[in-house]
Structure formats: C-alpha cells, structure tokens
Amino acid sequence: MTIQLCLAGATGWAGSALARAIAQTEDIELVAAVSRTHAGRSLGEVLAEPRLTGPIYATAEAALAAHPCDVFFEYTKPDVAKANVLAALERGANVVIGTSGLTDADYAEIAATAEARGRGVLAVGNFALTAVLLMKFAEMAARLIPQWEIIDYASDGKKDAPSGTARELAARLARIRPSALTVPLDETQGLVETRGARLAGSQVHSIRLPGYTISVEIIFGMTDQTLTLRHDSGNSAEPYVDGALLAIGKVGSFMGVRRGLDSVLEI
C-alpha cells in the first residue's frame, strides 16, 4: 500500500533531501508540499526532480484541504509547527514532526488531539541513526551514573535553543531520573547562568557558532572517570533521510504521541 504524504518545508535544507529520496521510493507518494517561497509551482520543478509531481502550497491548511493524505511531515519552523500539526490531525492524517523548538506544553496539546482523533504523532529531534543510538546509550548510562550534563552545538544562525535533539535527550533521561548536582544551583557563587539551563532534570548548554551543523554531546561523570557520548552531523542533510523514511512508515502503527525514532524501532 502506497503512503500518501504531504511534506511541509519541502524546499528547505532537510526537506528537499527527504523529498528527493521519496522520489526514489515505491511505497511513498508525495502528493503535496508546503513552501511559502515557491507556492504555485510543482515540487519537481523547484527541485529539478521530474518524479516529484505534487503541487506546492503556501500553507499547510491549503495543502491538506486540496490533498488528503495518510501522513503529514512537519519540517518547517517552531512558530508555525504546532498549528500545522493540529491542522493535519484534524484532517485525519498521522504526523511526523521533524521541527525543533516545540515545548512540553505544545506536545501535551498535540497528544490530546491525536488521542481524540485516533491518530499517531511521532516527534523526532534528530532522524540520524547515530543520534538515535546515542540516546539509547545515554539511557543505559543514566541508570548507572547519576551525574551528567548535555552540550548542544549548532550553527550561529540557529534561533531555537536548545535544539530538538537536546530537548528529546533531556526528556528521555528525565524518565529515568534527574541528574544529581553536587552544588545546588541556588548555591552557585558568581553567575548561575554559566551553569546552563535546567531542562527536565538535566543541565543543558547551547553553543551557537559558525562551523557547526548539528551536534549533541552528553558527559557522564563519576569519581576519577568520565564517559562522553557525542553525535556529529556534517554539512549535508543526508544523515536524516533514512530515519525520516522509517518514521513515515511507522507513524501509522500507534495512537497518541511518541518521542524518539527508537520508540518505533526494535532496538
């Protein structure tokens, strides 16, 4: 059975790589795309890929109204992502979220709508399979090591902080336990802000500099020993394609919200 897909953010850095990969698949059909910049054109024309025949719309609402779909893939910006996801759920689509910056409150609202509509939402902070493995390894380590801190690296132009990857990692570790602090934050001498932000029980530091694409690092510490886990992405969006395709195929297999690609994989 072919999955009918609507892709929001189809002409962006990550979205265009995913669209080109979909053009080579046989079980996913990209029926519509969302891009304000290229609205009114065909996606194949914009991406120079003739196998992509779906039209581009300026808004998710317009695309969903014209082309009912099985899966809506959200790959835009935080300020419109929640509205896009809710609109897709109301139209009866399952949703994959690749946009970072949504809060826990946003996900609570999305979860309520998904449950009410009997649809699935898979939110993935990072589709790279190496990032998925980092999170699994970090969960294993957190069960044995009580102290850690997360460092989130991205380019100087990335506006949201921390990244979706760091948010997802902190949320997952919170289900195990909060990271212990030898010196409580309110007893810090000097600038407490230099200790990072307390997010879901983890200290998180966001670095934004030229030269980085997307990286996340978690450092676990015990007496006289440390463990460092790190995922680094290069300049292309290719690392995210395989995971995104897996997410599209799996999102219809459950109801409600799941966070993390590994939540639908057997690892």
Side-chain angles (χ1 to χ4, degrees):
M1 177 179 171
T2 301
I3 297 172
Q4 306 289 302
L5 179 77
C6 177
L7 176 57
T11 61
W13 178 70
S16 60
L18 176 57
R20 290 188 175 96
I22 289 171
Q24 301 177 50
T25 68
E26 296 182 354
D27 56 351
I28 304 173
E29 180 184 0
L30 212 167
V31 296
V34 180
S35 169
R36 292 185 182 277
T37 305
H38 300 287
R41 303 171 67 186
S42 76
L43 186 59
E45 175 189 359
V46 174
L47 299 184
E49 173 49 80
R51 290 171 290 186
L52 295 172
T53 59
I56 302 174
Y57 295 85
T59 66
E61 292 85 350
L64 290 162
H67 297 274
C69 61
D70 302 310
V71 176
F72 179 87
F73 201 112
E74 166 52 40
Y75 235 163
T76 60
K77 296 180 179 180
D79 57 344
V80 297
K82 184 176 77 169
N84 287 351
V85 170
L86 294 174
L89 290 171
E90 293 292 347
R91 289 278 182 177
N94 297 303
V95 180
V96 177
I97 302 176
T99 303
S100 62
L102 294 176
T103 66
D104 289 340
D106 292 331
Y107 278 117
E109 183 177 350
I110 289 168
T113 303
E115 293 284 356
R117 296 294 176 180
R119 292 294 179 265
V121 176
L122 181 56
V124 180
N126 193 319
F127 290 98
L129 297 182
T130 51
V132 173
L133 291 172
L134 177 145
M135 293 190 190
K136 291 295 291 186
F137 297 155
E139 288 180 327
M140 295 167 63
R143 292 186 175 94
L144 298 173
I145 306 175
Q147 290 180 267
W148 64 81
E149 303 208 5
I150 298 169
I151 307 173
D152 151 40
Y153 305 85
S155 69
D156 56 319
K158 186 174 178 62
K159 294 183 178 180
D160 61 299
S163 68
T165 307
R167 286 179 183 273
E168 183 179 319
L169 178 56
R172 292 163 65 103
L173 295 179
R175 296 197 292 266
I176 298 171
R177 58 171 149 180
S179 174
L181 295 173
T182 302
V183 178
L185 293 176
D186 59 4
E187 296 181 16
T188 299
Q189 297 180 7
L191 294 176
V192 68
E193 292 84 359
T194 62
R195 290 291 293 112
R198 190 71 173 170
L199 175 66
S202 292
Q203 290 303 116
V204 180
H205 312 260
S206 291
I207 294 174
R208 299 290 180 267
L209 285 172
Y212 288 107
T213 304
I214 295 174
S215 302
V216 67
E217 180 177 72
I218 181 166
I219 303 172
F220 292 87
M222 300 178 73
T223 302
D224 286 336
Q225 56 188 315
T226 62
L227 170 67
T228 301
L229 303 173
R230 178 168 172 139
H231 157 78
D232 291 290
S233 293
N235 294 321
S236 80
E238 292 305 314
Y240 314 115
V241 169
D242 289 341
L245 293 174
L246 285 171
I248 292 168
K250 295 287 189 177
V251 71
S253 64
F254 62 90
M255 288 191 297
V257 171
R258 293 192 185 182
R259 298 178 70 169
L261 185 59
D262 67 296
S263 68
V264 294
L265 300 178
E266 295 180 1
I267 59 174

